[in-house]
Amino acid sequence: MIKNITNLGDAALYCDFGEDVNIEKNLEVIKYFNEIKNLNIDGVLNITPSYNKLIISLNQSLISLEKLKEIILKIKINETNNLSKKLVKIPICINDEFSLDLDRLVSKLKLDKEDIIKTFLSKKYFCYMTGFIAGMPFLGDISDNLRLKRLSTPRVKVPKGSIGITEQFCNIYSFESPGGWNIIGRTPLKIFDKQNQFKPTLVNPGDDVEFYEVDLKEYNNLNE
């Protein structure tokens, strides 16, 4: 549950759920996110969930910080709160052209490529949040033996669709962007579609993700 609610400047509330980063804690954040969104509170401009925090932006001419805080504290969260979630299956091509850091992973983790790929593909990943760039999902939790720090020098450009891992998380670059994650492969799927007004993001907080490997020919066919 929420540990503390503080003002973030004069136009937002900062809801702190604690320091733990795990699925159970994140599900609490997502449930509050859904409940506040469903309340359709006049004056709430944006609701931004993260691993264990929730930021609610507002227009103080329509609702005060104190009134919004009162509403949030009255919300009751339990096991019956519905979560809109789905299983998303995402193809990944681990061709040399796309697996930019696979050799680095082999060297740092002391595993061979086949073991790294097999271990990575064997997991079902949970979407904790989306952000940094539009629609980018942050997925957990990576197997312990694949956990590695970011690159010491981030890349200026990481290609769209790149799938990276760092520490306990995996992400998918929805657009070309700077980044320092260890890139293991690339997906041909469109992770964020700004033309889709109602469902622009392929993966949303609370969803589960499974990766399956495709070869270069399949990748190109799916990319058409």
Side-chain angles (χ1 to χ4, degrees), residues 33-223:
F33 169 80
N34 288 337
E35 289 295 314
I36 295 168
K37 183 172 64 173
N38 291 337
L39 286 172
N40 197 25
I41 303 166
D42 193 27
V44 170
L45 303 178
N46 193 42
I47 313 168
T48 308
S50 69
Y51 301 127
N52 50 22
K53 306 290 185 290
L54 190 66
I55 296 175
I56 308 166
S57 303
L58 66 146
N59 181 342
Q60 280 223 66
S61 65
L62 298 176
I63 188 170
S64 69
L65 289 162
E66 286 305 313
K67 179 62 178 176
L68 180 56
K69 187 183 294 185
E70 286 178 18
I71 293 172
I72 294 169
L73 290 173
K74 289 179 181 178
I75 292 173
K76 302 298 182 184
I77 297 295
N78 52 53
E79 293 298 325
T80 63
N81 288 94
N82 291 326
L83 282 175
S84 177
K85 65 180 296 180
K86 60 186 183 297
L87 174 63
V88 185
K89 296 189 176 184
I90 295 180
I92 176 174
C93 182
I94 311 178
N95 182 272
D96 289 345
E97 176 187 355
F98 301 148
S99 55
L100 306 180
D101 296 304
L102 190 51
D103 287 338
R104 178 175 186 268
L105 292 171
V106 169
S107 174
K108 294 288 185 178
L109 299 173
K110 309 302 182 188
L111 297 170
D112 60 36
K113 291 183 181 181
E114 290 73 21
D115 285 340
I116 291 171
I117 294 167
K118 181 179 179 180
T119 303
F120 177 78
L121 295 175
S122 69
K123 291 278 290 186
K124 181 184 289 184
Y125 300 93
F126 174 84
C127 181
Y128 281 86
M129 58 176 281
T130 60
F132 178 63
I133 53 178
M136 175 187 276
F138 286 75
L139 312 170
D141 293 291
I142 294 291
S143 298
D144 290 344
N145 61 340
L146 295 188
R147 298 185 182 188
L148 190 65
K149 293 183 178 180
R150 299 167 185 258
L151 304 180
S152 56
T153 303
R155 291 183 173 90
V156 175
K157 292 182 180 180
V158 177
K160 176 182 176 181
S162 294
I163 296 168
I165 62 176
T166 194
E167 297 173 351
Q168 76 185 78
F169 296 107
C170 166
N171 73 3
I172 309 172
Y173 285 76
S174 50
F175 292 92
E176 180 181 87
S177 165
W181 292 50
N182 300 278
I183 305 303
I184 193 171
R186 193 179 302 175
T187 182
L189 297 190
K190 186 176 288 187
I191 303 302
F192 183 82
D193 183 2
K194 62 182 179 181
Q195 303 302 322
N196 189 332
Q197 181 180 353
F198 300 104
K199 292 184 178 180
T201 54
L202 179 64
V203 183
N204 293 287
D207 287 346
D208 290 322
V209 171
E210 288 181 351
F211 293 98
Y212 66 95
E213 189 176 3
V214 295
D215 60 24
L216 187 57
K217 182 178 179 180
E218 291 173 292
Y219 173 92
N220 289 330
N221 287 340
L222 290 168
N223 201 33

